[in-house]
Amino acid sequence: MRFSRSIRWRGRRLRLRTQVLLLQSAVVALALTAAFGAFAYVNDQHVEREYQLRALGVARTVAANPVVRAQAARYSVSGDGHRRAHAERDVAALAEGPVQAVAQAARARTGSLFVVVTDDRGLRLAHPQRSQLGRMVSTDPSRALAGHEVLDHDHAHLGEEIVAKVPVYAPGSRRVVGEANAGVAASHVHDQVVRVLLGGLACLALALLVGVLASAALARRWRRLTLGLEPEELVALVQEQEAVLHGIGEGVLALDARERVTVVNDEARRLLAVDGRPGAPVSEWGLNPRVLAVARAARADGGGPVVTAAGERLLVVTARRVRRADRDLGTLVTVKDRTDVESLTRQLDAVQAMSSALRAQRHEFSNRLHVVAGLVHGGHLTQAARYLEELTGTGSASVSLPGLDAVDDDYLRTFLRAKAAQAREKGVELVLGEGTWVDSPVTEPVDVTTVLGNLLDNAVHAAGEGGRSARQVEVELMTQDTTLVITVADSGDGVRADHAEAVFEEGFSTKDGGPVPGGRGVGLALVRQIARGRGGEVELVAPGGPGDEGVGAVFVARLPHVLEEAR
């Protein structure tokens, strides 16, 4: 689905990186707000509990004071009632009494809002306000007077309080004779919570800023990784790539800047005979060394078209470097199949060779007719008859190739005559070896003529360019069941010993004495590929040279399953 429902702002669609930035910022803000709320709640509970425990400590200290215990017992119900009643009426006596002194000292020392001591009925014996002495406490004292410690959050005449209540026991017994209360103002707790939360808000703002900056950095990296393309553009690009890659008749292999295979279509896998996985280094794909060299050369000089052989196929490989916005995206390698074109080229070469032979035949035949006509018109009938007798038995072929009758295949005979005519025009004599014997028709004429033609072309060139006076090429054809054995020897200067195997490598040419760029140096590599594809082989059995009298290089090719079964 295309991104037609993406977020819009004032009628304009927001870019994906903007959407990502806003979404991530909202998520970060929401998460931080929730965390801060939880922190605020826990902190409030923690601070309130801390103040309650602090008030409890003060109350316990006051309740445990011997003076307080004795005075509380004295004013209890079981004590001297007359004195208690007098004390209730004499506020001045309570204000100057020892209990008030102990309570106020504890209040001043601990910074508490109040410290109150009561008797066993809840009447105040000590209070920070003189007017409240002798009066009933404003909160329920029953639980403390029942012997329980109480932590509470009350609303009394001093306002909101965090209060702790502790029972006061009579000296030397467990009889409750009063209670000691200590507390702090709830506003103090609130102020403490606010101070902590303000520090938390600063951390919250800093975390939010970091989150937004991280989201912005991620959006920027996203833009860089996608080359500024939006999702709908990426979807369209992928669809177009799939359609193009699998719809064209050429092989496509794409490498990134680190020479890892990123894209490969089915045609490239078929032509290059590879089956690797995208993402792996190209060195692990088992590519033809010449193809690999072309791909790597593209990063330096553009990698022009190069002809190479892969299996039984002849391929044209082109590589080019790809850049976008000054960024190196890698290398694109295209592979074209030239096998059928090469086969047609070989057949055309054969036709051209035969045409050349026919032209030579017509020219020579015309010369012979002129000789005969001249002898007849001059009245030299005896010489004319002798000349005709010499021509008898040569047939209509323009080139005499003794031993050709041993080849029982019309295609081979025609091809050999044409090659003999070509060689003759270059000043080289083509002869058949004495062991030549082909008694079955050829079933694979294209492969046979490709191998034979390449070997003969190289031999004719070597013999024509060699330093020996005798310029000759000898070809011998023999059969072994359905296998054709071809031996080609020339009178050239031979092949250097250290080039005995190099001549079969792609890009190596004996004409130039080493590696050559472009599409040259493919003939012998193609010949060996074809032979090995059929289970045969092509070898240099004798390199020749100055030490071999009259003999240059000797090549032998074995081509299985190219002949019909023996008759």
Side-chain angles (χ1 to χ4, degrees):
M1 183 181 73
R2 300 177 70 90
F3 288 75
S4 58
R5 298 182 181 178
S6 55
I7 299 175
R8 292 179 177 271
W9 174 256
R10 294 183 179 178
R12 297 177 60 185
R13 186 172 58 195
L14 296 179
R15 291 183 175 274
L16 179 62
R17 58 179 179 274
T18 306
Q19 298 179 33
V20 171
L21 176 60
L22 294 177
L23 178 60
Q24 288 189 330
S25 299
V27 170
V28 170
L30 182 61
L32 290 176
T33 301
F36 183 76
F39 167 75
Y41 174 78
V42 172
N43 183 71
D44 180 71
Q45 297 297 316
H46 174 74
V47 172
E48 182 172 334
R49 181 66 176 175
E50 180 182 346
Y51 274 92
Q52 284 178 341
L53 294 177
R54 184 183 301 177
L56 179 62
V58 174
R60 284 175 175 175
T61 302
V62 173
N65 189 286
V67 175
V68 173
R69 294 177 69 180
Q71 291 296 316
R74 178 183 172 213
Y75 289 105
S76 67
V77 174
S78 58
D80 189 343
H82 174 74
R83 291 184 178 181
R84 185 183 69 249
H86 179 74
E88 292 176 357
R89 294 191 299 272
D90 192 358
V91 176
L94 290 176
E96 301 298 331
V99 178
Q100 178 75 353
V102 171
Q104 294 308 310
R107 173 176 172 269
R109 184 173 62 253
T110 61
S112 301
L113 175 64
F114 64 88
V115 175
V116 176
V117 180
T118 72
D119 62 7
D120 55 356
R121 292 193 306 166
L123 298 176
R124 299 185 181 99
L125 302 179
H127 194 277
Q129 295 178 350
R130 181 186 180 95
S131 61
Q132 298 297 323
L133 292 173
R135 293 184 180 183
M136 191 70 180
V137 292
S138 58
T139 59
D140 182 17
S142 59
R143 293 182 61 193
L145 295 177
H148 301 290
E149 291 183 345
V150 178
L151 297 176
D152 207 349
H153 189 142
D154 293 333
H155 181 78
H157 69 282
L158 293 179
E160 291 288 337
E161 304 169 350
I162 302 297
V163 63
K165 302 177 181 181
V166 176
V168 177
Y169 298 98
S173 70
R174 297 296 295 174
R175 180 170 60 89
V176 178
V177 294
E179 68 168 347
N181 299 345
V184 295
S187 59
H188 291 175
V189 178
H190 175 73
D191 292 342
Q192 178 65 20
V193 171
V194 169
R195 283 194 296 270
V196 174
L197 292 184
L198 287 177
L201 281 175
C203 295
L204 174 66
L206 179 60
L208 182 60
L209 177 61
V210 172
V212 171
L213 292 178
S215 299
L218 179 61
R220 184 176 181 182
R221 176 170 174 77
W222 185 305
R223 180 178 182 275
R224 185 166 59 252
L225 291 176
T226 60
L227 303 178
L229 298 177
E230 291 299 302
E232 60 271 16
E233 296 174 328
L234 291 175
V235 171
L237 185 62
V238 171
Q239 292 175 345
E240 293 170 1
Q241 174 182 296
E242 289 295 318
V244 171
L245 286 179
H246 300 286
I248 62 176
E250 298 180 2
V252 176
L253 184 73
L255 313 178
D256 63 11
R258 291 186 289 178
E259 293 191 353
R260 293 179 304 183
V261 177
T262 56
V263 176
V264 57
N265 65 353
D266 297 336
E267 187 68 7
R269 291 180 183 274
R270 184 181 69 85
L271 295 177
L272 298 175
V274 293
D275 191 22
R277 59 179 181 83
V282 69
S283 57
E284 298 178 4
W285 275 62
L287 289 178
N288 183 308
R290 193 165 174 84
V291 176
L292 186 59
V294 171
R296 288 174 172 170
R299 305 188 62 80
D301 55 13
V306 172
V307 180
T308 183
E312 298 182 4
R313 298 186 176 279
L314 191 65
L315 309 176
V316 177
V317 181
T318 305
R320 59 179 299 179
R321 192 176 182 182
V322 181
R323 300 184 64 88
R324 179 184 174 91
D326 295 330
R327 180 181 174 187
D328 185 8
L329 300 182
T331 305
L332 182 66
V333 181
T334 57
V335 184
K336 300 179 182 179
D337 189 359
R338 289 287 301 274
T339 306
D340 295 338
V341 175
E342 182 66 19
S343 298
L344 292 175
T345 302
R346 288 294 172 184
Q347 295 180 17
L348 180 60
D349 288 343
V351 172
Q352 290 177 340
M354 286 186 286
S355 299
S356 299
L358 289 176
R359 286 197 302 270
Q361 173 186 350
R362 182 177 63 82
H363 179 73
E364 187 171 354
F365 186 71
S366 176
N367 291 337
R368 290 176 179 178
L369 286 180
H370 282 302
V371 171
V372 172
L375 291 175
V376 170
H377 285 299
H380 307 290
L381 299 180
T382 302
Q383 289 86 343
R386 187 179 303 116
Y387 183 75
L388 289 174
E389 289 176 357
E390 291 178 358
L391 296 179
T392 301
T394 61
S396 60
S398 61
V399 178
S400 176
L401 194 58
L404 194 58
D405 292 339
V407 179
D408 188 13
D409 180 80
D410 296 336
Y411 200 91
L412 273 180
R413 284 199 300 270
T414 304
F415 189 75
L416 288 171
R417 284 197 190 99
K419 286 298 181 182
Q422 282 185 333
R424 179 175 175 180
E425 290 182 353
K426 296 179 180 180
V428 178
E429 181 185 8
L430 177 64
V431 298
L432 287 177
E434 295 180 356
T436 297
W437 179 258
V438 180
D439 58 351
S440 300
V442 173
T443 59
E444 301 293 338
V446 174
D447 286 351
V448 170
T449 54
T450 298
V451 173
L452 180 58
N454 269 288
L455 294 178
L456 287 177
D457 289 344
N458 289 341
V460 169
H461 181 272
E465 298 294 328
R468 296 189 174 97
S469 57
R471 299 182 176 182
Q472 189 179 70
V473 173
E474 180 179 343
V475 57
E476 190 172 75
L477 306 176
M478 295 183 293
T479 61
Q480 183 180 5
D481 295 331
T482 60
T483 300
L484 177 64
V485 180
I486 303 172
T487 303
V488 177
D490 61 70
S491 60
D493 296 332
V495 178
R496 287 170 45 183
D498 56 339
H499 290 169
E501 281 300 320
V503 293
F504 293 102
E505 296 177 2
E506 294 182 37
F508 189 96
S509 174
T510 56
K511 300 174 183 179
D512 298 282
V516 293
R520 299 184 58 185
V522 180
L524 288 177
L526 178 63
V527 165
R528 175 169 276 187
Q529 291 278 6
I530 293 175
R532 288 181 174 178
R534 293 191 162 277
E537 185 58 276
V538 176
E539 298 176 304
L540 175 64
V541 297
D548 295 329
E549 187 64 30
V551 180
V554 179
F555 288 85
V556 175
R558 293 182 64 259
L559 301 177
H561 312 299
V562 296
L563 301 173
E564 289 186 0
E565 295 289 341
R567 298 173 181 174

